[in-house]
Amino acid sequence: MRPALRIARDCLSSARWLTRARLTRWGMAWAVASLGLLAVDVVTHVTNGVTNAAGEQLARDFINYWSGAKLAISGHGLEAYDPSFFHAYQQSLVGPASEFKLYGYPPVMMLLCWPLAGLSFTSALTFWVVVGAMLCAWPLARMLGWPLALLATIAAPASFLNLMSGQNGYFTAALLAGGLALLDRRPAIAGIVLALLCYKPQLGLLIPVALAAGGQWRAFAAAALTVVLLVAASIAWLGTDIWIAFFHQMNLQDRMMEAAESFWPRMPTVFAALRLAGVAAPWAYAMQGLSALLAAIAVAAIWRSGGALGVKSAALVVGTFLATPYAWDYDAIVLIFAAAWLAAEARNNGFREWERITTLVLLTLPGLTLVPAKLLGFQSGPLLLWLAMAVLLRRGFEATRAVPARPVALAG
């Protein structure tokens, strides 16, 4: 290997330059930049009430959660799945220029969002963001402390994108990471928390695999029962037809995902990466299916291993993005927890090669992938996530074999 290449490899594999102090300084700088950009975004999106001149709503997707809850409370939840009606309804709430939005969530989402219905748009948005951020930071603070946890909820690229356009990424991270953190101490409660993620079922594909492989049957049963109860409650409140309408609209969502080129740079999935590269949809689905199968095998193997719960949880989180064809950049907030779990295990047992740089990749994934995807047509998210999965597999198998690996010397 040439000296320059050897130096570059060593710089990445050991990443001795990547210290906690540096990450904190970088995080503070990014937090200031993020808050500044968000302030500009807010100002430009309130020129016509809560929209800009082009009709794009403040906080983009939030209008879906708010208006869906208002329809449900008024007894018209079924109409949320009629695209024409839903668009007209949103226009009646925030102005005739309001851009088209599709309600792409199962009826359980209306059930979970009902507190928003009685609030004004801005009050509901403030409530949603603050509660989501606190719920996300709470389990993270148990590992990092409150200052770093709050910093991560603002400074990480996924956090910034969530504040600007998604807002449910905080809740997704809180439920998935919070449920996993409770498994050892409160398995039944952990199952209930994980089940609440059914408002985004595509991000729960591997949860049953992990719980079954890990022998977490109390959590498995609690999660299954909670999902059944949530679906039953939504039917009791909104009727059975609303579920039929939801499944019918899923066909429209599938067609949008297959053809909407603007989506793919923001989706760190195998399907989006291949579609962005020009691969036909059937082949992209086939490769996504293969990735999902391999991710399920990897997650099951780690959860059957003697690895620490943090390593298992990190593998499940990473595997989730490798299994689903539909995930957004703001969903990647939960990867912050994967980075924290891996770093905690490494602090206890020594950093192995590539683990420090893997934590950085998990912390900053959308920031690493979005620009190359938009400018070069190359969505590197799946590749980086598979490399992270390889690092986690090594950790899990190390614990099973009980053979210590040679640690990389720490710096800083």
Side-chain angles (χ1 to χ4, degrees), residues 19 88 107 126 156 182 189 239 244 271 297 363 376 386 401 406 408:
T19 63
T126 302
L182 288 168
I189 296 176
I244 297 172
F271 178 86
I297 293 171
L363 282 171
L376 304 176
W386 268 116
R401 294 193 305 267
R406 179 173 61 86
V408 173

Side-chain angles (χ1 to χ4, degrees), residues 78 80-82 102-108 110 198 201-202 227 231 234-235 239-255:
L78 179 63
Y81 298 105
D82 178 340
L102 186 73
Y103 194 82
Y105 301 92
V108 168
M110 298 180 189
C198 67
Q202 72 274 16
V227 171
V231 172
S234 69
I235 291 173
T240 56
D241 288 345
I242 196 168
W243 278 95
I244 297 172
F246 165 67
F247 286 117
H248 178 73
Q249 186 178 273
M250 284 183 66
N251 294 324
L252 174 59
Q253 294 182 62
D254 288 343
R255 293 197 299 272

Side-chain angles (χ1 to χ4, degrees), residues 9 16 349-353 394 398 403-409:
R9 181 195 180 281
R16 295 180 179 89
N349 298 295
F351 278 90
R352 279 46 167 175
E353 284 193 334
R394 181 181 62 187
E398 268 183 20
V403 176
R406 179 173 61 86
V408 173

Side-chain angles (χ1 to χ4, degrees), residues 277-344:
V279 176
W283 284 105
Y285 276 126
M287 295 305 295
Q288 178 66 70
L290 177 61
S291 178
L293 176 61
L294 294 175
I297 293 171
V299 167
I302 292 180
W303 277 73
R304 287 179 62 85
S305 76
L309 179 59
V311 174
K312 296 176 180 180
S313 299
L316 173 57
V317 168
V318 171
T320 294
F321 287 84
L322 295 170
T324 181
Y326 190 84
W328 286 89
D329 44 22
Y330 55 78
D331 292 321
I333 288 178
V334 73
L335 292 175
I336 297 171
F337 288 86
W341 283 319
L342 176 58

